[in-house]
Structures are given as C-alpha cells and as structure tokens.
C-alpha cells in the first residue's frame, strides 16, 4: 500500500526566545486529509509550533515543508495556509458576507468569483440565511462559523486552528466539534488543531501529538495515546489514570513481569525496555473490577465514592497507602461497597501498561 501523502513536514524545528527554548528539535509529518491535533498543557509549545507553520514565528533551526515545498522563510501572506484563532476578530461594521469576502478581495479575486465563493462557503457552514447580519447579531457558535468560512474561502491547502472552541460554553462546544470534523471531511484538506482539552483531541482527531516542554511525547491515534501511553506524562495527561509504583522483575518480547503493591505477581505490556527495579504502571479506572470477597490482583479498602451520573468513582486505599480511583458504570452496578469495606481489585486484560519514565 502506498504511504499517505504528507501535507506538512516539520523537520527538526527549534524555536528560542532569548535563553528559553520553546521547541526542541520537533519533527512531525502531518498527512493530507487528516484531522491532526497538537495536545498539551499551556506553555508546552503547541501554539508556537502552529504559529511557526503559519509564518507568524521565525524558527531558529530546522525546516517547514508544505507538500514538499520549503516554506521556512516565506512570509505569512505567501503561505497557502489560513488560521482560525481563539478570538475570531470579525469586523463589527461588516455583514457576515462582507467579512468572508474581505480576504478574497485583498487577494485580488475577481468580484463575481469572490461572491460565488462566499456563497459556497456560507452554505458549507450553514450560514447562508445569516449573510446580511452583523457579528453582534450572531451567537458565539455562529461567529465561530463565520471565522471558519473566512479562513476556508481562499481555498488554503492547510487550515490551522488555535483553540477555536475555547470561547464557547460546554454544550455548544460539544455540538461544534462534530460540525468541525464533518467540515474537515467535506473540504478534504488537512486541519491542524491546537487544544489543551483531552476530550476534544480524543473525539475529533485522526491522530494526536501530545507535547510537553517543547518536545513531542507521543504521536498516534486517539486510541493509541489513551490505551497505550508511552510514558508517565502521556498516561497522566490524557484522560484519568492510576500510576502504580511496582517492582520490575524482567521484560521479554514487550511483556513485563512485575510485583504489584502487596507482592502479587503480574504481567502486562511494556511501553519500553525498563531496567529491573522500580517502575510505574498506568491503570485506567474503568478497567478495574471490584470483588466483594477480597480476591484479586490487589487488596484494598474503600475510602469513599462520588456519584458522577453515568458512573460512580470509587476511591480505594492499597496496603502501601497508595490511593486508586475506580470507575463503576451505573448500569452495571447493583451495590456500592461501603466506606471501610475490604475489596479485591482485578485488573482487566490489557488494562495495565508499564511506562517509560
């Protein structure tokens, strides 16, 4: 099978601000027609990288290629990319139609062609009926769609999105996610999306790049980064997890033999070759079963629980005083162990993973 075409190639990019290095030799290949997300906490370098692709930040080392063409030293207006920012920056005195057409006229489009293109993109984002309204007459979600239409109108080869949903309330943000993903499929171009919201990244992306301190920690499908994190940072940042300190006895053919807290032997996949000694397991709370008879991989005592609607979070304390979180689905839970009850914890097959530090 032929390898996917590459839309954007980031090759050993370094960005420094005085004595501070924001990007440490970052290399990523982003494919054509994919929804690619840069995920990480504030200050991890994801927005700096997006701005470098857009041309708003110069890089100190490395190259940026767009469909094989080196754009490292091109000014922003000569790069066939467009950006949607957190603040939509719509012109308040212009109508929706005029806001979207403004950029096309600046790029010297013929008036009649620009008008047809604006009509097409407004239909694409379902705003045709709002073309004559001013931004102040629109909801936050509608303003966000205008910003998207304006960015898509010149037919960019890649669309860059810098936390464009952060200004929306939770319910609207959830609704717009599916619309944005559908829009990406319809346009068939690569979207590069920046967020610190793990749920956004997991629900929208074809692939996710997890970043920390200006470095790439892991790139993979949402399932990859959630189910098979490579290190403690990824495991802890993407979703909820329990990080258990264990004794690593040996690793062979990608399978680790460890001693759990309390001494029970356990085998699980290993993210990397880890030297014998102290290691850490990532165990997702929803992949743990609770037994009332105290039989399991771990012995624990219930310290409390919280009702969360779809499920119940159970907090338990292990023999070494380590606290773990367990998620119990309400539809499958008949009795909740009382505080102080002794229980056994069974780690489901594939639930645990030995991490590289």
């Amino acid at each position: 099978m032929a390898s996917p075409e590459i839309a954007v190639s980031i090759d050993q990019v370094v960005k420094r601000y005085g004595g501070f290095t924001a990007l440490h030799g970052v290399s990523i290949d982003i494919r054509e027609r994919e929804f690619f997300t840069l995920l990480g906490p504030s200050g991890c370098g994801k927005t700096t990288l997006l701005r470098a692709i857009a041309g708003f930040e110069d890089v100190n080392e490395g190259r940026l290629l767009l469909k094989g063409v080196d754009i490292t030293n091109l000014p922003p207006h000569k790069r066939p990319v467009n950006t949607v920012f957190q603040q939509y920056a719509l012109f308040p005195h212009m109508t929706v139609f005029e806001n979207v057409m403004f950029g096309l006229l600046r790029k010297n489009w013929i008036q009649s062609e620009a008008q047809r293109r604006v009509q097409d993109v407004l239909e694409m984002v379902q705003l045709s009926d709002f073309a004559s309204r001013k931004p102040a007459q629109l909801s936050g979600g509608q303003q966000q769609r205008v910003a998207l239409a304006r960015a898509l109108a010149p037919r960019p080869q890649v669309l860059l999105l810098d936390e464009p949903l952060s200004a929306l309330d939770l319910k609207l943000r959830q609704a717009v996610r599916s619309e944005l993903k559908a829009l990406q499929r319809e346009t068939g171009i690569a979207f590069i999306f920046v967020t610190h919201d793990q749920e956004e990244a997991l629900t929208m992306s074809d692939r996710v790049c997890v970043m920390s301190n200006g470095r790439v920690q892991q790139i993979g499908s949402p399932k990859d980064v959630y189910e098979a994190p490579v290190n403690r940072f990824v495991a802890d940042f993407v979703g909820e997890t329990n990080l258990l300190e264990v004794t690593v006895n040996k690793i062979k053919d990608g399978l680790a033999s460890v001693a759990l807290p309390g001494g029970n032997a356990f085998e699980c996949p290993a993210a990397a070759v880890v030297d014998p000694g102290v290691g850490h397991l990532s165990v997702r709370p929803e992949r743990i079963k609770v037994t009332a008879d105290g039989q399991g991989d771990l012995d624990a005592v219930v310290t409390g629980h919280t009702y969360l609607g779809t499920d119940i979070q159970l907090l338990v304390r292990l023999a070494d005083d380590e606290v773990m979180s367990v998620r119990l689905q309400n539809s499958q839970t008949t009795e909740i162990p009382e505080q102080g009850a002794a229980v056994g914890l069974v780690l489901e097959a594939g639930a645990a993973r030995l991490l590289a530090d």
Side-chain angles (χ1 to χ4, degrees), residues 17-34:
Y17 297 98
F20 172 71
T21 302
L23 297 172
H24 297 263
V26 171
S27 292
I28 307 169
D29 283 338
I30 298 165
R31 301 166 186 159
E32 291 268 34
R33 298 176 293 279
E34 83 169 331

Side-chain angles (χ1 to χ4, degrees), residues 236-293:
D236 196 36
F237 187 78
V238 180
E240 182 185 358
T241 197
N242 297 291
L243 293 174
L244 289 185
E245 188 171 290
V246 297
T247 301
V248 181
N249 295 320
K250 66 175 182 177
I251 296 178
K252 184 178 181 181
D253 299 328
L255 196 64
S257 297
V258 304
L260 297 171
N264 286 345
F266 188 76
E267 286 193 342
C268 64
V273 175
V274 179
D275 292 333
V278 175
H280 291 88
L281 290 191
S282 168
V283 186
R284 298 295 183 186
E286 71 276 10
R287 302 292 297 276
I288 303 170
K289 292 181 179 177
V290 178
T291 64
D293 60 7

Side-chain angles (χ1 to χ4, degrees), residues 86-107:
Q86 294 179 29
Q87 304 300 324
Y88 309 136
L90 303 177
F91 296 114
H93 63 287
M94 292 185 181
T95 65
V96 167
F97 195 96
E98 291 165 342
N99 263 282
V100 177
M101 193 162 74
F102 179 81
L104 298 182
L105 298 181
R106 288 284 301 270
K107 291 178 181 291

